[in-house]
Amino acid sequence: MDTSVTLIGLAITLLIGIPLVLVLRSNISNKNKIKNIKKQYSLNNYYNFEQSETQNKKILSIDQKNKGFLFIDFSYKMETAYFVDLKNIILCNTIVTKSENPRTITKVEIEFVHKDTMKKELIPVYNVENHFLDFNCLYEDHKLAVKWVNIINDCIL
């Protein structure tokens, strides 16, 4: 009887333990990727991306002192990183693109307007093609974009 209880306990422990180990390993791997990308864009430790936020496999970081913005997106098949030197930016906006149906949002982007050239640079925060009409991600990513546009505009001024 003690053997069967021990085997059942061991089986339950393995059923719970193996997924936990896999999740922790993946989490450590992602943290290392984020750390390496931040180090790559810090330009010899000039930028210190201390204020960061993570949501839906997206990481937004800003260095308010040296005016640098970093956006990392792991939600696509390939991770993408965008760096913007905010010293050269005059304006930052949230751009929402809708489909033929005016109620369906297909893209949410952060738009940066450069001082000298007035050239616009768009960073995609949400794209319906990559999220398969996940309305929770749309809502959260839209709120995240609006929040960070306000943070960036406060840093620019």
Side-chain angles (χ1 to χ4, degrees):
M1 177 145 167
D2 289 335
T3 306
S4 63
V5 172
T6 304
L7 290 176
I8 291 172
L10 184 61
I12 290 173
T13 303
L14 287 175
L15 286 173
I16 293 172
I18 291 173
L20 282 175
V21 168
L22 293 175
V23 166
L24 289 174
R25 234 177 81 195
S26 173
N27 194 11
I28 290 170
S29 172
N30 284 342
K31 283 185 179 182
N32 287 337
K33 283 183 186 178
I34 293 167
K35 189 176 180 181
N36 288 336
I37 292 172
K38 283 184 176 182
K39 185 177 180 181
Q40 175 186 352
Y41 285 100
S42 72
L43 302 177
N44 294 327
N45 295 326
Y46 179 73
Y47 293 106
N48 183 12
F49 300 108
E50 57 202 30
Q51 184 179 355
S52 293
E53 186 170 356
T54 303
Q55 180 175 294
N56 295 334
K57 297 184 179 181
K58 295 170 180 62
I59 298 94
L60 294 98
S61 298
I62 192 167
D63 180 354
Q64 292 187 336
K65 180 183 172 194
N66 296 317
K67 299 191 181 210
F69 174 72
L70 181 63
F71 178 78
I72 306 168
D73 193 354
F74 289 114
S75 64
Y76 301 123
K77 292 178 183 175
M78 270 183 54
E79 65 235 17
T80 54
Y82 300 93
F83 174 75
V84 178
D85 185 6
L86 297 177
K87 294 174 195 161
N88 301 325
I89 301 298
I90 192 169
L91 182 65
C92 181
N93 291 318
T94 306
I95 303 293
V96 177
T97 307
K98 297 182 179 184
S99 67
E100 297 85 31
N101 180 359
R103 297 178 54 131
T104 305
I105 296 175
T106 57
K107 280 185 184 180
V108 176
E109 299 170 308
I110 298 177
E111 174 190 46
F112 294 96
V113 180
H114 291 268
K115 283 182 183 176
D116 300 333
T117 61
M118 298 305 278
K119 183 182 126 191
K120 296 178 181 179
E121 181 178 351
L122 297 173
I123 295 178
V125 177
Y126 175 85
N127 191 346
V128 74
E129 296 169 1
N130 299 321
H131 291 283
F132 309 108
L133 293 174
D134 186 355
F135 295 110
N136 288 331
C137 282
L138 168 62
Y139 178 76
E140 291 170 352
D141 289 347
H142 185 252
K143 291 294 180 191
L144 183 72
V146 169
K147 176 183 175 184
W148 274 86
V149 163
N150 290 334
I151 291 171
I152 292 167
N153 281 329
D154 288 344
C155 181
I156 291 172
L157 298 177

